[in-house]
Amino acid sequence: MASIVRTSRSSMTRIGKRFANGGKALVGYIIAGDPSLEATPRLVSALVRGGVDILELGVPFSDPIADGPVIMRASERALAAGASLRKILSVAACVRREHPELPIVLFTYMNPAVRYGFEALARDAGDAGVDGILLTDLSIEEAAGYVKVMRAAGLDTIFLAAPTSTERRLRLIAEHSSGFTYLVSR
């Protein structure tokens, strides 16, 4: 379970525009590539018709430690169907063409992002129309370099805060987050 808190840094991105006037947002999540990469844009369109304001496009990962069994199985199916970060960025570009105003957050883990390369990811995600990236397992204490690269490309950086986060960590999360910050409830 998670809640979202708007942050003020991202007035230029679609995410920032969504929250600009104190607005609320329904954030929808989908694992890209489940059941197939070709089906993902149609599923996103269904989410938009259903009222989603912001899309989290999940990148399947072989060891999604922050996710429960439903997302883990969806990741397994997407990987078995041939999903990769590069292919998902192509899906994001397709979604962007279909939904030009929809804020898109790429939801992934460090391993795929490091393997792809932060600079290449920032460039290619920006080119695909992605607005922000959430690396679920990036330690906030080690995030400065990543944040610098993503912000230089105009991408929001979204981080998680938990009830157990210390005051020091919360300050770092607030400093490094743009777009919004996830408040994990458990």
Side-chain angles (χ1 to χ4, degrees), residues 27-34 37 40-41 43-44 47 54-60 85 87-96 102-109 128-130 132-134 182:
V27 180
Y29 177 83
I30 188 170
I31 288 283
D34 180 35
L37 290 165
T40 300
L43 295 172
V44 169
L47 288 171
I54 297 174
L55 172 69
E56 285 183 352
L57 195 55
V59 176
L85 183 49
K87 290 177 182 177
I88 290 166
L89 289 172
S90 293
V91 168
C94 179
V95 169
R96 172 59 57 227
L102 178 67
I104 300 172
V105 174
L106 200 64
F107 183 107
T108 189
Y109 286 84
V130 170
I133 299 179
L134 167 59
Y182 261 93

Side-chain angles (χ1 to χ4, degrees), residues 161-174:
T164 56
S165 297
T166 65
E167 285 297 319
R168 180 181 175 284
R169 288 197 99 221
L170 289 172
R171 278 193 294 279
L172 283 171
I173 291 165

